Amino acid sequence: MKGSLCAVVMAGGRGTRFWPASTRGRPKQFIDLVGGGTMLQMTVSRLSGLCGLDRVLIVTGAGFADEVFGQIPGLPVSNLLLEPMPMNTSACIGWAARVAADRWGPDTVMAVMPSDHLISPASGFVDTIARAVEPARQGWLVTVGVRPDRAATGYGYIKPGDLLDGFHPVEAFVEKPRPEVAQAFLEAGSHFWNAGIFVWRASAILGAISEHLPGLSDGLERLGTDTSADPVVYGSLPAISIDYGIMERSSRVAMVEAGFAWDDIGDWPALRRSGACRGEVISLDSSDCTVWNPDSLTVMLGVSGISVVRAGGVILVMADDYAQKLRDVVGRIEQQHPELV
Amino acid sequence: MKGSLCAVVMAGGRGTRFWPASTRGRPKQFIDLVGGGTMLQMTVSRLSGLCGLDRVLIVTGAGFADEVFGQIPGLPVSNLLLEPMPMNTSACIGWAARVAADRWGPDTVMAVMPSDHLISPASGFVDTIARAVEPARQGWLVTVGVRPDRAATGYGYIKPGDLLDGFHPVEAFVEKPRPEVAQAFLEAGSHFWNAGIFVWRASAILGAISEHLPGLSDGLERLGTDTSADPVVYGSLPAISIDYGIMERSSRVAMVEAGFAWDDIGDWPALRRSGACRGEVISLDSSDCTVWNPDSLTVMLGVSGISVVRAGGVILVMADDYAQKLRDVVGRIEQQHPELV
């Protein structure tokens, strides 16, 4: 397997949903959210069974170069792609595909993934990507589907067709469903979560971009294969997600089932699903709480459904209902306390 | 008024109900709970309109001498009475009464008070004590009654008789009532809270102790009037509250109505009644919360009925229901983390 593959790690998130642990200067992918390394470090570490660091491309914001090199020693300087501004996943992936094709040939197989998801075990991840390589070689755009264990409404769903030679042609993508639809999916076992992990030939995704997003294709042509993008050209690319722009439109999309536990840990309450915790906690008659306080003891008495976070000299105490609104709240806090956000 | 009175400040509390802000090494009376000085400092400061520091006796635990002298500069060394161990209020008050009688004569009028209650304004406190002095001179044991503004069940109540020359002979004391009884008291306006503030002649309280607690009277005789008590003798005194041991048994008890707002702030939720807060707080869709985090910002989102405290490197998040159980919980935490309690 090693040597035949390259990987693209998307580390462009600006997320403030993990404030105050994450800030604009240090987004989620760069912090040690669950213990055992930053999300980026864990993501890159998982790739070691698939390819060497010389074949790992990391795409991030222009201001984070030092952070990435500090966290991933040994990453070749030429493997960091610096976005002048975030332009959504189609642009980021298209650019990386052109760089990969230029460096390792148009038929190189790329594994594309976010940098801030929780995945275990690493061996299951390696196995899954390995299973996706053959259909990718055949020209399929392969996505990884995770079997739901709850009626989540925050994810996109995949409806796979019958198993065909180790993978499933995809019948349909379903946008974030209503609760009753998610419940029906769960009970039927008919749909999988779209984990945002893709495997394909560089030439295949570039061909699909050319077909479905010709404007992006032209822009990428102008952008070239430098690892620092011209801000004017990059900023003019259409900002569209790879799911909406390509996956939902292409007829040659396949799914492999994930052989690993997956969580995108999208907000503070999600952290407790993984059982992850930072700092010592004494809890009495408390349930469904997230505590993230790496530096000291937290005592929880008789509370439930809240998150308690201490970082950067700020304590956040938040009811679960507010987890998805935290981004907006942080925007308001920024007005008063720009130094804290 | 000045010169004719002395004051006894009881600062023996070992309270852990304000953990982690208060600890065994630094109980509630010695911390700046509400801003503007420690509870002890505020208590002594209120006395300045009544008597000089030379006539203020402070009774505390043997380990807290340095703390008291550090907080109350100018307190004569001989005015600090150090209890070898806590033996409840009758022993503490009886000992202080003997010291006061020895020093300033048996007919000196003593104002006795806890060191950890919130009282304002100070001028109302001075006026109230001044009103109590005349009945005290006549031999009454005078207690201060606070007109209830809610159906509190955590206080003892006083039923005063008709007004007589500026004070009310007390008809009855009522132990902590059930909620419906407290509600009836509130609606009838018939009962007052017992604030634990007393005014009497030294000779009057010593006479009452001799009558109702002869065992204590004998013990106090053996104890003498040194400001450091013999541990064996002090430890042998009957441990009984002044309310139960004397006030409820004596026939010559009077009440003056408090001309001040009063709160014993017995636990963390009580702190919010006073509007007191420590540290900056940003609160959104949150209500009925106590935040005590002097060092940094606390952000509260969508939560209610909880207390959030950070002190000594510990964060406590506690539902209001647990406030009265905190003492027990802290005892358990002490098993694991003696350094934190």
Side-chain angles (χ1 to χ4, degrees):
Chain A
M1 176 62 56
K2 274 209 184 192
S4 62
L5 203 76
C6 71
V8 175
V9 174
M10 296 181 288
R14 265 76 171 164
T16 45
R17 278 183 299 179
F18 282 88
W19 184 85
S22 78
T23 58
R24 294 203 196 286
R26 202 130 194 268
K28 177 188 170 198
Q29 62 270 26
F30 298 124
I31 63 172
D32 185 356
L33 197 59
V34 298
T38 70
M39 302 306 290
L40 176 66
Q41 286 173 325
M42 291 196 291
T43 300
V44 172
S45 167
R46 270 194 300 274
L47 292 169
S48 61
L50 292 167
C51 61
L53 257 188
D54 58 314
R55 288 174 76 106
V56 173
L57 298 176
I58 298 179
V59 191
T60 191
F64 298 116
D66 290 348
E67 190 74 55
V68 172
F69 289 124
Q71 294 198 5
I72 314 292
L75 183 77
V77 172
S78 62
N79 284 21
L80 186 63
L81 278 60
L82 293 173
E83 292 182 294
M85 69 284 286
M87 294 303 292
N88 215 330
T89 45
S90 290
C92 155
I93 288 171
W95 180 28
R98 283 184 51 92
V99 171
D102 182 59
R103 254 181 237 188
W104 302 303
D107 292 333
T108 189
V109 172
M110 304 162 60
V112 180
M113 69 209 68
S115 57
D116 60 352
H117 292 179
L118 201 59
I119 283 172
S120 74
S123 60
F125 175 79
V126 168
D127 289 349
T128 304
I129 300 299
R131 275 187 282 121
V133 167
E134 187 48 40
R137 285 217 171 98
Q138 294 168 21
W140 293 85
L141 304 181
V142 186
T143 183
V144 175
V146 176
R147 190 177 287 279
D149 61 6
R150 64 185 193 284
T153 56
Y155 303 141
Y157 282 71
I158 302 164
K159 180 164 179 14
D162 292 335
L163 191 66
L164 175 74
D165 209 13
F167 65 93
H168 304 258
V170 168
E171 285 188 7
F173 286 92
V174 181
E175 300 267 329
K176 297 177 182 180
R178 297 192 312 278
E180 59 274 23
V181 174
Q183 184 61 36
F185 288 172
L186 178 67
E187 286 167 16
S190 57
H191 289 68
F192 289 70
W193 291 331
N194 183 355
I197 302 169
F198 309 107
V199 184
W200 46 49
R201 286 201 327 256
S203 54
I205 189 66
L206 289 169
I209 289 173
S210 173
E211 181 182 352
H212 300 292
L213 299 172
L216 176 59
S217 196
D218 294 347
L220 292 173
E221 193 77 37
R222 287 196 303 279
L223 190 69
T225 56
D226 268 10
T227 56
S228 70
D230 182 290
V232 176
V233 177
Y234 201 78
S236 73
L237 299 179
I240 186 167
S241 77
I242 195 82
D243 296 290
Y244 185 70
I246 302 294
M247 303 304 278
E248 296 183 16
R249 301 179 186 181
S250 172
S251 57
R252 197 116 193 260
V253 177
M255 186 199 92
V256 294
E257 183 176 343
F260 51 83
W262 171 86
D263 203 308
D264 75 337
I265 34 175
D267 55 25
W268 282 117
L271 201 59
R272 78 188 69 134
R273 277 202 303 267
S274 70
C277 209
R278 291 295 310 277
E280 189 184 358
V281 179
I282 295 177
S283 184
L284 185 69
D285 293 351
S286 296
S287 59
D288 295 322
C289 290
T290 298
V291 175
W292 200 93
N293 177 24
D295 296 332
S296 64
L297 176 68
T298 310
V299 178
M300 307 285 282
L301 298 182
V303 287
S304 66
I306 64 172
S307 295
V308 177
V309 181
R310 180 166 186 270
V314 176
I315 297 176
L316 169 70
V317 181
M318 178 179 70
D320 284 355
D321 289 348
Y322 278 73
Q324 292 291 323
K325 300 177 206 162
L326 182 58
R327 200 191 293 259
D328 301 333
V329 172
V330 168
R332 276 193 271 169
I333 290 170
E334 197 172 14
Q335 311 290 317
Q336 286 173 264
H337 294 279
E339 77 284 6
L340 295 176
V341 175
Chain B
M1 176 62 55
K2 273 209 185 189
S4 61
L5 205 75
C6 71
V8 175
V9 175
M10 297 181 290
R14 265 75 171 164
T16 46
R17 278 183 298 178
F18 281 89
W19 185 84
S22 78
T23 58
R24 294 204 196 286
R26 202 129 194 268
K28 177 188 170 196
Q29 63 270 26
F30 298 125
I31 63 172
D32 185 356
L33 197 58
V34 299
T38 71
M39 302 306 290
L40 176 66
Q41 287 173 325
M42 290 196 290
T43 300
V44 172
S45 166
R46 271 194 299 274
L47 292 169
S48 61
L50 291 166
C51 62
L53 258 187
D54 59 313
R55 288 176 76 106
V56 173
L57 298 176
I58 299 179
V59 191
T60 190
F64 298 116
D66 290 349
E67 190 73 55
V68 172
F69 289 124
Q71 293 198 6
I72 314 292
L75 183 77
V77 172
S78 62
N79 282 21
L80 186 64
L81 278 60
L82 294 173
E83 291 183 295
M85 69 284 286
M87 294 303 293
N88 215 329
T89 45
S90 290
C92 156
I93 289 171
W95 180 27
R98 282 184 51 91
V99 172
D102 182 59
R103 254 181 236 187
W104 302 302
D107 292 333
T108 189
V109 173
M110 303 161 60
V112 180
M113 69 209 68
S115 58
D116 60 351
H117 292 179
L118 201 59
I119 283 173
S120 74
S123 59
F125 175 78
V126 169
D127 290 349
T128 303
I129 301 300
R131 275 187 282 119
V133 166
E134 189 47 40
R137 286 218 171 97
Q138 295 168 22
W140 292 86
L141 305 180
V142 186
T143 184
V144 174
V146 177
R147 191 176 286 278
D149 61 7
R150 65 185 192 283
T153 56
Y155 303 140
Y157 282 72
I158 302 164
K159 179 162 179 15
D162 292 336
L163 191 67
L164 176 75
D165 208 13
F167 65 93
H168 304 258
V170 168
E171 285 188 7
F173 287 92
V174 181
E175 300 267 328
K176 297 177 182 180
R178 298 192 311 280
E180 59 273 24
V181 174
Q183 185 61 37
F185 288 172
L186 178 66
E187 286 167 14
S190 56
H191 288 68
F192 289 70
W193 292 332
N194 183 354
I197 302 169
F198 308 107
V199 184
W200 45 49
R201 285 201 327 255
S203 54
I205 190 66
L206 289 170
I209 289 172
S210 173
E211 182 181 353
H212 300 291
L213 299 172
L216 175 59
S217 196
D218 294 348
L220 292 173
E221 193 77 35
R222 287 196 303 280
L223 190 69
T225 55
D226 268 10
T227 55
S228 70
D230 182 289
V232 175
V233 177
Y234 201 78
S236 74
L237 299 179
I240 187 167
S241 78
I242 196 80
D243 296 290
Y244 185 71
I246 301 294
M247 302 305 277
E248 297 184 15
R249 300 179 187 182
S250 172
S251 57
R252 198 121 189 256
V253 177
M255 186 199 92
V256 294
E257 182 176 344
F260 51 83
W262 171 86
D263 203 308
D264 75 337
I265 34 176
D267 56 25
W268 282 118
L271 201 58
R272 78 188 69 134
R273 277 202 303 268
S274 70
C277 210
R278 294 294 310 276
E280 190 184 358
V281 179
I282 295 176
S283 184
L284 185 69
D285 293 352
S286 297
S287 59
D288 295 323
C289 290
T290 298
V291 175
W292 200 94
N293 177 24
D295 297 333
S296 63
L297 176 68
T298 310
V299 178
M300 307 285 282
L301 297 183
V303 288
S304 65
I306 65 173
S307 295
V308 177
V309 181
R310 180 167 186 269
V314 177
I315 297 177
L316 169 70
V317 180
M318 178 178 69
D320 284 354
D321 289 348
Y322 278 74
Q324 291 292 322
K325 299 176 204 164
L326 182 59
R327 199 191 293 258
D328 301 333
V329 172
V330 169
R332 277 193 270 170
I333 291 170
E334 197 171 13
Q335 310 290 316
Q336 286 173 263
H337 294 280
E339 78 283 5
L340 295 177
V341 176

